[in-house]
Amino acid sequence: MSMSQDPCARPQLLHPDDAVPMLLQQVVPLYETETVPLTEALGRILAEDLCSSIELPPFNNSGMDGYAYRFADLPVKGTLTVIGKSFAGHPYVGEYQPGSCIRIMTGATVPDGYDTVQMQEYADVNGDQVTLEPCSEQWENVRLRGGEMTAGAKVLTSGTEIRAAEMGIIATIGISHLRVFRRARVAFFSTGDELRPVGSELAPGQIYDSNRYSIKGLLIKAGVEWIDLGVIKDDPEAIRQAFREAAAHADMVLTSGGVSVGEADFTKQVLDEEGKITFWKLAMKPGKPFAMGKIGEAIFCGLPGNPVSSMVTFYKLVLPLLRKLQGHNAVTPLQIKAVLTSAIRKKPGRVEYQRGILNHNIDGTLQVSTTGSQDSSQLSSMHLANCFIVLEQQQGNTAAGELVTVEPFNSVLC
């Protein structure tokens, strides 16, 4: 059965997957760097390749609590004499003796002459005599010197985000300070006489300024420096001054609302006068209207005004720009398949990013359900979600039980 087209879809609408590379072409990375102590490096982007000056591990060490011995001394189960101990930070300093073994703890140095460690669970101890089950091969339970990396090996590359694991790696190779790209500065504000500060009384026709708080949260999670210029009244000169101030102090200026053709406010008018802005019409839902360009030397991004549209377009379109701006390596979003638990109605024409809840079925398979109403004004759909259900441009209605594409949220939305 034929299905009518999405009434908001037009042939000239650009697929979001095609738009992102075109948008990225307009962004030049900052390339400005600063040196920070390792303790302050979490979330920063590495601006240099890091190489290890040491071997890891720097010495043969034990992977188990047990007994170190020479493999050739114990071809079958037998008894060895304990002649010393090797603990982490306190290695055994004597020489190898035939028929001997060393009591050893996890991470402790395996002494020269010994090449195998048997775990203590396979040992029968009687004073200084230990009867061991032999290991199946030489070097068993021994972490060999340089086994993880050799001196001079590249450990991390420029463009890597420093997370907890990277901090540990950097500490392991003994680096206390490192060069990172400076954070991008993003200025943002809201416009509209109907907007009121949170905590104030609402008059008829007024609403609370929620978008600014969502945007601030997204910017914090994206790891940028933010400049909140507040709410700007619907006055051309006030809006003009806000844009000029934002562009003078920031690498990116970000607004929500006022980017639709025919919008009944002054934002688009001032943008046309103050900047070089392209108004994009994207084949995506939510988030069809989007604007990008330059105001002075700053990048400008204009998000739609509806709360969910604003968050989705930030996540899908602005976040990749910020990542490139800050020198981050490109990342392809993770997409997987899951079984849809209930039917979804959709008209062909636009890619839809429906908000979904991804979890495991009782049999262990992945399943996904929608958060309910997908109205772009309802932020509760973002609050409940942990993923997008991605419905392709020409896809129509989808029945329960079908496999659908799911894009789990990354750390910016989680």
Side-chain angles (χ1 to χ4, degrees):
M1 182 175 66
S2 62
M3 181 177 297
S4 61
Q5 188 84 352
D6 183 334
C8 292
R10 297 290 185 272
Q12 71 272 22
L13 296 185
L14 187 62
H15 193 290
D17 289 347
D18 296 327
V20 172
M22 298 170 65
L23 293 168
L24 286 171
Q25 289 178 1
Q26 302 181 48
V27 175
V28 178
L30 294 171
Y31 293 126
E32 297 174 38
T33 66
E34 57 187 0
T35 299
V36 299
L38 177 57
T39 53
E40 298 176 11
L42 187 67
R44 303 301 297 271
I45 309 302
L46 194 61
E48 59 184 338
D49 294 342
L50 294 184
C51 297
S52 177
S53 61
I54 60 174
E55 293 180 303
L56 286 180
F59 47 82
N60 291 347
N61 72 87
S62 178
M64 297 286 178
D65 292 345
Y67 295 86
Y69 70 98
R70 179 174 283 190
F71 184 74
D73 285 349
L74 200 68
V76 295
K77 183 176 181 178
T79 301
L80 302 172
T81 301
V82 181
I83 63 170
K85 299 177 180 179
S86 184
F87 290 0
H90 301 280
Y92 173 73
V93 295
E95 295 183 355
Y96 160 76
Q97 297 178 23
S100 70
C101 64
I102 302 294
R103 177 68 168 136
I104 196 166
M105 297 290 107
T106 302
T109 302
V110 176
D112 291 341
Y114 300 88
D115 56 19
T116 308
V117 172
Q118 180 57 286
M119 65 180 66
Q120 60 191 14
E121 287 81 1
Y122 293 101
D124 184 10
V125 182
N126 184 12
D128 64 353
Q129 301 297 299
V130 179
T131 301
L132 295 175
E133 292 282 351
C135 291
S136 58
E137 59 185 6
Q138 189 181 25
W139 303 113
E140 190 167 334
N141 297 322
V142 176
R143 301 165 179 156
L144 294 174
R145 176 180 178 178
E148 183 175 354
M149 68 183 68
T150 58
K154 186 181 294 184
V155 180
L156 297 172
T157 59
S158 178
T160 299
E161 181 179 354
I162 301 169
R163 303 167 301 177
E166 286 74 17
M167 290 187 73
I169 290 171
I170 295 167
T172 299
I173 60 177
I175 294 177
S176 63
H177 289 72
L178 53 153
R179 194 155 53 90
V180 296
F181 292 107
R182 79 161 172 85
R183 298 183 189 274
R185 289 185 289 270
V186 181
F188 62 102
F189 59 87
S190 299
T191 62
D193 291 342
E194 78 281 10
L195 301 179
R196 297 292 297 157
V198 174
S200 63
E201 293 292 329
L202 292 179
Q206 294 181 333
I207 59 174
Y208 290 121
D209 176 26
S210 62
N211 273 15
R212 214 169 87 252
Y213 289 87
S214 296
I215 290 172
K216 183 184 293 186
L218 292 167
L219 291 173
I220 291 171
K221 294 293 289 290
V224 304
E225 295 180 7
W226 49 269
I227 305 169
D228 184 355
L229 297 179
V231 179
I232 309 302
K233 63 181 181 179
D234 278 332
D235 173 79
E237 290 310 309
I239 295 172
R240 189 186 317 279
Q241 184 58 38
F243 275 126
R244 289 177 178 177
E245 180 181 350
H249 295 94
D251 305 297
M252 176 183 285
V253 179
L254 191 62
T255 64
S256 64
V259 296
S260 294
V261 175
E263 193 89 30
D265 62 33
F266 301 109
T267 303
K268 187 175 183 296
Q269 170 193 328
V270 175
L271 283 172
D272 287 335
E273 295 170 354
E274 293 292 319
K276 298 178 180 178
I277 311 298
T278 300
F279 293 89
W280 299 66
K281 297 177 182 178
L282 302 177
M284 65 183 292
K285 181 182 179 181
K288 176 183 170 184
F290 182 75
M292 185 189 175
K294 298 290 288 289
I295 299 176
E297 296 300 315
I299 298 168
F300 171 78
C301 287
L303 307 176
N306 277 325
V308 177
S309 300
S310 177
M311 292 191 72
V312 173
T313 50
F314 180 97
Y315 186 81
K316 299 299 298 182
L317 303 174
V318 177
L319 186 57
L321 308 184
L322 287 174
R323 291 174 67 89
K324 182 177 179 180
L325 192 63
Q326 297 190 111
H328 203 299
N329 291 332
V331 174
T332 301
L334 172 66
Q335 291 191 337
I336 56 179
K337 294 291 186 179
V339 177
L340 187 63
T341 62
S342 58
I344 293 178
R345 295 181 60 83
K346 177 187 180 295
K347 294 182 178 181
R350 291 190 287 172
V351 182
E352 289 195 14
Y353 298 95
Q354 298 218 1
R355 280 68 70 199
I357 303 169
L358 179 67
N359 54 36
H360 284 94
N361 202 346
I362 192 169
D363 63 1
T365 58
L366 288 172
Q367 64 178 20
V368 66
S369 57
T370 72
T371 57
S373 173
Q374 298 294 299
D375 191 291
S376 59
S377 67
Q378 296 187 11
L379 268 178
S380 58
S381 70
M382 293 297 297
H383 156 65
L384 297 170
N386 61 8
C387 67
F388 290 124
I389 303 171
V390 184
L391 304 175
E392 285 303 326
Q393 190 168 4
Q394 296 310 315
Q395 191 170 343
N397 294 337
T398 307
E402 289 190 41
L403 280 176
V404 290
T405 299
V406 172
E407 184 177 319
F409 291 162
N410 68 25
S411 59
V412 173
L413 281 184
C414 286

